[in-house]
Amino acid sequence: MGEDSREFGENTKTNHKMEEVEREEEIDPESNPQNEPLLKRNRTLSSNPLALVGEKISYIESLNYEINENDLFKHDWRSRSRVQVLQYIFLKWLLSFLVGLLTGIIATLINLAVENIAGYKLLAVLKYIHKERYLMGFLYFAGMNFVLTFVAAILCVCFAPTAAGPGIPEIKAYLNGVDTPNMFGATTLMVKIIGSIGAVSAGLDLGKEGPLVHIGACIASLLGQGGPDNYRIKWRWLRYFNNDRDRRDLITCGSSSGVCAAFRAPVGGVLFALEEVATWWRSALLWRTFFSTAMVVVVLRAFIEICHSGTCGLFGEGGLIMFDVSSVTVRYHVMDIVLVVVIGIIGGLLGSLYNHMLHKILRLYNLINQKGKMHKLLLSLAVALFTSVCQYGLPFLGNCTQCDSSLSESACPTNGRSGNFKQFNCPPGYYNDLATLLLTTNDDAVRNIFSTNTPQEYQPLSLVIFFVLYCILALITFGIAVPSGLFLPIILMGSGYGRLVGIYMGPHTNIDQGLFAVLGAASLMAGSMRMTVSLCVIFLELTNNLLLLPITMIVLLIAKTVGDSFNPSIYDIILHLKGLPFMDANPEPWMRNLTVGELVDVKPSVVTLHGVEKVSKIVDVLKNTAHHGFPVMDDGVVPPVVRRANGTTELHGLILRAHLIQALKKKWFLKEQRRTEDWEVREKFTSVDLAEREGSIEGVTVTSEEMEMFVDLHPLTNTTPFTVLESMSVAKAMILFRQVGLRHLLVVPKYQASGVSPVIGILTRQDLLGHNILTVFPHLAKSKGREKRN
């Protein structure tokens, strides 16, 4: 999981600011350190946040999903012609089309590579086994897996640490308003593609579904910004997308396209983005995400038709994920619902247990990974060797079963890469059921265990070994330094116990064993990931059997309800471990007992600027504070309604740190203290300039003569910031902050007295997080405990 705060502090002792962030207070001896995030934080509000992004520790900032309505923005919108508005709309749909097209092509190439690399590897191993050269078969099998894992791990460790893992928690945080650095770069994209091919081909217990979601998001981000940072296309049309709002929508399209590419489930991909990753949603975005997933399906279907002719090597024999169980007739009675409920309860219990155990394993891996890159690499290779030993050795414990006489000789036994009834070490006419599940790709293993109308294919002992092994592998594989997904490991575990239930309950039910495996996989995914609607549609599209809908819905709802009784979803646990400041949809009940006025009282005094400010004051503020937003005031303003002789202080708006740096870089200086005309600022700035977020005050050079000049901040200031009264509850402020997508929320006094500042504080994302508030107001934790007990 990357280095924790101790290693980070040791490696950055020369940086005073980072030492400030890393300084901790004593930990409460009654608290459980296993429940703390991997990065400890100060017990103060608005400290500089750190989080693990991928496998790398980074500073975290919030995104500007709010429209920055300054003078330049207003002029840009007023000056757009009807043709330019149509260009903007057309470009949105064009980029959505390209996101779906490229995601589909890359997903197909990944599947081509995995099916052929893993397929030829397994064919060579089976040839050694057929010749009874078992040691050579193992050495070849383990050696190939070792090399493939080494390639995937070395790329992630040395070139793109953010490419490790699924990437879904970071995407979820980004769409919630958290800027995740280096998460969507070109290097990350390339390492994710190559690493996914290597890790999946190596037979590790992981899937390519999570990485494909990340790949789709990377494609969307790169298209929206015109390419990699160093080689951006300066296309005039792309200026429309120089804002976080449109980039957020594109990444939402990319994430839904990734799920669609993984499961060939276009509707499921849209619902996954809606239910799991997206924080903001609207009907226009629904249409564009559906358009992107439709393009993915078209591309995948076209490649499948091409590859059926045999021009793609082994691709097509296994192909893209599609677990078709449409050939079986789904018949069930009222009493069968009892078994469905039992599977749902088991899935909820096992899913919550899996989340709990994985939480502990990830904390253990953090202790190993903090020792350095070599330990990360060795951990990945050790897991690969252990997996190879189990997958090759355990089938020898399975019994040889005679093939059913109704099956053709080509169907049983099979000696190829894909298909049921693998012969392995058995004599002609017999097959090894454990080898059918273990010595194959993960996709084929799911197809085999989902197989219908085969009630005698698997022995109970073989399914127990399969289930226990994949429970262990799923726990130890996730968290190593390779691209990995959680979907397929959970499907493998769930299908194992689902098929076991089907075997033991076979005399008492009409439901096929393969359908029990499907229900078991669905229940465990709902028990761990806590998704319902999107999972239901994904499984219907995967299995191509609409008759499963009623019992699948029951299983998902029960499993999610049971799992929620014990712990959060697996993605929420990972978000907490990484320290990403994710804002939940529902505030804690105790937040209604605290006002935003009380919250800003414990913060440092707000730093304000005048509408026409001295350059030296701006430089001093930027160098000595880490704030990203500053209220802009005008003194002596006479209100149009209430006439006062001496005027009053007006809140003109809020200016961002990045815009102040742009003003200094472009030398937007005045020799006298005055307000500028509209034409003056348009000669110096464009709306594209204000969309840039890079840069720091250290890279700005200001002479001593320029220090005495002035800057007119009015044209650069957002004149419509969101403000709340100091009497508003924190719960209500949090809902507003999350739903609107704010970065700053100004708190104004309830009573405006003479000489009182119109702004008493600024709230940011860090200020509204529950665990941060409890560190400053520990007495609220007692009321939180009472609410839980009630």
Side-chain angles (χ1 to χ4, degrees), residues 752-782:
Q752 181 66 52
S754 179
V756 176
S757 173
V759 176
I760 62 175
I762 299 181
L763 293 179
T764 63
R765 173 178 295 269
Q766 295 290 329
D767 303 328
L768 295 172
L769 295 178
H771 57 270
N772 284 351
I773 297 175
L774 289 177
T775 59
V776 182
F777 298 95
H779 66 279
L780 293 175
K782 298 179 181 179

Side-chain angles (χ1 to χ4, degrees), residues 297-369:
V297 171
V298 170
V299 171
L300 297 181
R301 191 68 230 174
F303 272 97
I304 288 175
E305 291 299 325
I306 294 172
C307 292
H308 272 318
S309 62
T311 58
C312 303
L314 295 176
F315 184 79
E317 295 183 26
L320 290 161
I321 294 179
M322 191 68 180
F323 310 132
D324 195 342
V325 294
S326 59
S327 59
V328 65
T329 302
V330 181
R331 295 181 301 171
Y332 45 86
H333 303 293
V334 176
M335 292 305 297
D336 294 330
I337 303 301
V338 177
L339 294 178
V340 172
V341 171
V342 170
I343 287 183
I345 294 174
I346 294 174
L349 293 173
L350 290 180
S352 59
L353 178 62
Y354 173 73
N355 291 358
H356 175 76
M357 294 301 298
L358 187 61
H359 182 199
K360 306 301 180 185
I361 295 293
L362 292 178
R363 297 193 66 85
L364 174 63
Y365 278 7
N366 180 69
L367 297 176
I368 298 174
N369 291 336

Side-chain angles (χ1 to χ4, degrees), residues 679-693:
W679 62 268
E680 292 182 88
V681 68
R682 289 200 296 271
E683 282 187 348
K684 202 75 173 180
F685 295 96
T686 65
S687 58
V688 177
D689 295 330
L690 299 188
E692 297 295 332
R693 301 186 62 185

Side-chain angles (χ1 to χ4, degrees), residues 1 166 169-170 358 362 478 486 569-580:
M1 289 291 297
E170 288 84 356
L358 187 61
L362 292 178
F478 188 79
L486 278 170
S569 72
I570 185 61
Y571 291 132
D572 289 340
I573 290 175
I574 295 173
L575 282 169
H576 176 70
L577 281 174
K578 289 177 173 287
L580 292 167

Side-chain angles (χ1 to χ4, degrees), residues 416-603:
R417 173 188 56 90
S418 62
N420 278 347
F421 312 107
K422 283 192 178 294
Q423 183 176 355
F424 193 59
N425 61 337
C426 297
Y430 289 79
Y431 72 93
N432 188 314
D433 59 343
L434 202 51
T436 301
L437 297 175
L438 297 182
L439 207 63
T440 185
T441 62
N442 289 339
D443 290 356
D444 283 334
V446 177
R447 287 190 190 89
N448 295 340
I449 203 168
F450 277 8
S451 61
T452 55
N453 300 317
T454 54
Q456 307 298 325
E457 180 178 359
Y458 299 105
Q459 302 299 318
L461 179 60
S462 298
L463 290 175
V464 170
I465 294 174
F466 171 82
F467 173 68
V468 173
L469 172 64
Y470 273 91
C471 285
I472 296 172
L473 292 180
L475 288 172
I476 66 173
T477 305
F478 188 79
I480 62 176
V482 297
S484 57
L486 278 170
F487 281 89
L488 212 57
I490 293 177
I491 289 176
L492 287 168
M493 288 188 292
S495 59
Y497 76 75
R499 186 113 190 176
L500 268 175
V501 173
I503 289 177
Y504 286 114
M505 295 299 171
H508 311 288
T509 180
N510 295 320
I511 302 177
D512 190 90
Q513 291 180 14
L515 300 186
F516 270 109
V518 174
L519 295 177
S523 68
L524 190 59
M525 289 189 74
S528 176
M529 297 182 177
R530 311 295 157 77
M531 295 184 291
T532 52
V533 180
S534 57
L535 274 184
C536 184
V537 175
I538 286 173
F539 268 91
L540 290 180
E541 292 180 294
L542 271 178
T543 57
N544 196 25
N545 196 327
L546 192 61
L547 296 175
L548 281 174
L549 178 61
I551 53 178
T552 304
M553 292 172 65
I554 294 173
V555 161
L556 292 173
L557 288 171
I558 293 175
K560 182 187 185 310
T561 303
V562 173
D564 284 337
S565 303
F566 294 96
N567 49 33
S569 72
I570 185 61
Y571 291 132
D572 289 340
I573 290 175
I574 295 173
L575 282 169
H576 176 70
L577 281 174
K578 289 177 173 287
L580 292 167
F582 184 85
M583 295 190 75
D584 292 319
N586 301 310
E588 297 284 351
W590 53 265
M591 288 183 176
R592 301 199 178 276
N593 302 326
L594 186 70
T595 66
V596 293
E598 294 172 312
L599 205 57
V600 297
D601 284 344
V602 299
K603 293 185 61 177

